[in-house]
Amino acid sequence: MTSTGGAIAVMGAGAWGTVLAKVLAEAGGPEAEVTLWARRADVAEHINATRYNPDYLPGTLLPPGIRATADAEGALRGASTVLLGVPAQTMRTNLEQWAPLLRDGATLVSLAKGIELGTLMRMSQVIVSVTGVDPAQVAVISGPNLASEIAQCQPAATVVACSDSGRAVALQRFLNSGYFRPYTNSDVVGTEIGGACKNVIALACGMAVGVGLGENTAAAIITRGLAEIMRLGLALGARDATLAGLAGVGDLVATCTSPHSRNRSLGERLGRGETMESALHGAPNGRDAHVVEGVTSCAAILSLASSYGVEMPLTDAVHRVCHMGLSVHDAIALLLGRSTKPE
């Protein structure tokens, strides 16, 4: 059964969840029903009182069609479409609380970009594992989508991936606005792998910038990073066209080159010699600075790649810097010291 109408709940009032609530409310017009759930009651109260979310999307006036709440049960009541905008490593614990509240047949949409530590599951797999829904009810939204730019109504495109074409098209219609253009895709695996892995490569790009390296190095990291992503994605059954598109190359380029990217910015701080603790505390949104998906996901991605016999040297180097105390300079030397081979 395809769920195409009714209320929409966005679970997570961080920058990405908030900006997608804005897109949904504006694309849907005056009749749109969008509820935005915030973990903190003060964030929800501030949004309702002022139509601003200064902690996560400063300076952006939200449309009146958004109702914020810290009550998960109230947010999910009657929602036929639920966008899950919580960090990858908290997806499971949040869903365990929310699963009994979900409407039968609802479309569940992952906004998170990561691989779960321990289980090595993609987010769509975590959703199915916890809720027991048919995988066809689960969709993924991913692409070159920097929240701060979309908040300013700058043109952007994204991918809505779902094995149920009816649900994908319904989500496409909900999100289609004058500045936000969604494309549909049935390749959930490729869309998720592109979104998770690009954060790690963005950390590497940031590290290179931090030590003073230039555009040639950045281009090499992005290109060889894409090769790693494609090797893993194809091993998992992804389509190469997906990884060559918005959810792969597009997201990779945006995240690796933008100063608004948390992962790139954190990598840059590490490249300048800061400790991991110092770099995390200096990241945007200080109180939630620990949510830099590439730092946590690099270990899971590396384990997943190893289980499929896929070599990911850039990901390995980032993991060593983030979790094993390797200096950025030593990581660069390690990569340059690898044996030469055909591209």
Side-chain angles (χ1 to χ4, degrees):
M1 176 183 174
T2 298
S3 177
T4 57
I8 300 174
V10 180
M11 305 300 286
W16 187 213
T18 302
V19 84
L20 274 188
K22 175 181 183 291
V23 169
L24 288 161
E26 291 176 344
E31 70 278 6
E33 298 177 56
V34 181
T35 301
L36 179 63
W37 174 83
R39 176 174 53 86
R40 291 164 39 214
D42 62 307
V43 171
E45 290 164 4
H46 194 88
I47 291 171
N48 288 332
T50 69
R51 290 168 56 198
Y52 284 95
N53 185 353
D55 285 352
Y56 299 99
L57 205 65
T60 300
L61 180 66
L62 301 175
I66 296 174
R67 178 183 68 88
T69 181
D71 174 18
E73 183 175 2
L76 293 169
R77 188 179 299 117
S80 59
T81 303
V82 179
L83 279 66
L84 301 164
V86 295
Q89 304 308 325
T90 68
M91 179 70 80
R92 182 178 295 274
T93 54
N94 278 300
L95 266 179
E96 286 171 347
Q97 300 173 48
W98 298 337
L101 309 174
L102 296 171
R103 173 176 165 178
D104 288 345
T107 299
L108 308 180
V109 188
S110 170
L111 307 182
K113 298 181 178 182
I115 303 294
E116 187 177 45
L117 291 167
T119 67
L120 307 185
M121 286 182 175
R122 293 174 283 108
M123 293 299 101
S124 63
Q125 293 175 309
V126 173
I127 293 169
V128 170
S129 171
V130 175
T131 64
V133 300
D134 188 317
Q137 288 178 232
V138 181
V140 176
I141 294 176
S142 189
N145 301 144
L146 297 162
S148 58
E149 294 184 1
I150 297 170
Q152 297 170 20
C153 300
Q154 295 185 23
T158 199
V159 172
V160 177
C162 186
S163 61
D164 182 333
S165 62
R167 292 180 193 269
V169 169
L171 284 167
Q172 181 183 46
R173 187 177 71 249
F174 293 158
L175 290 163
N176 189 29
S177 70
Y179 58 92
F180 194 68
R181 182 175 177 81
Y183 290 81
T184 59
N185 192 332
S186 61
D187 183 10
V188 174
V189 174
T191 302
E192 288 189 292
I193 290 299
C197 293
K198 58 92 186 184
N199 285 326
V200 181
I201 307 306
L203 280 166
C205 269
M207 291 175 193
V209 171
V211 299
L213 299 176
E215 303 301 330
N216 288 338
T217 306
I221 290 171
I222 291 171
T223 307
R224 296 310 303 163
L226 177 62
E228 292 190 13
I229 295 170
M230 294 193 77
R231 283 198 297 270
L232 179 60
L234 294 177
L236 293 170
R239 295 199 294 265
D240 54 5
T242 302
L243 297 170
L246 289 166
V249 172
D251 200 3
L252 180 65
V253 170
T255 310
C256 285
T257 60
S258 172
H260 300 299
S261 160
R262 288 184 182 185
N263 291 277
R264 182 189 182 278
S265 298
L266 183 90
E268 189 171 347
R269 297 178 75 95
L270 293 173
R272 291 201 299 263
E274 293 190 36
T275 65
M276 178 61 72
E277 182 179 7
S278 170
L280 283 170
H281 285 312
N285 292 342
R287 76 180 77 217
D288 283 348
H290 61 284
V291 185
V292 181
E293 297 283 20
V295 173
T296 48
S297 285
C298 64
I301 291 167
L302 200 59
S303 295
L304 183 61
S306 176
S307 71
Y308 280 83
V310 173
E311 191 178 27
M312 301 186 77
L314 275 169
T315 302
D316 180 52
V318 169
H319 177 259
R320 292 186 188 212
V321 171
C322 292
H323 299 286
M324 301 176 69
L326 187 71
S327 74
V328 173
H329 285 282
D330 286 345
I332 292 169
L334 186 69
L335 289 166
L336 292 176
R338 286 169 49 81
S339 60
T340 53
K341 57 185 177 181
E343 185 180 29

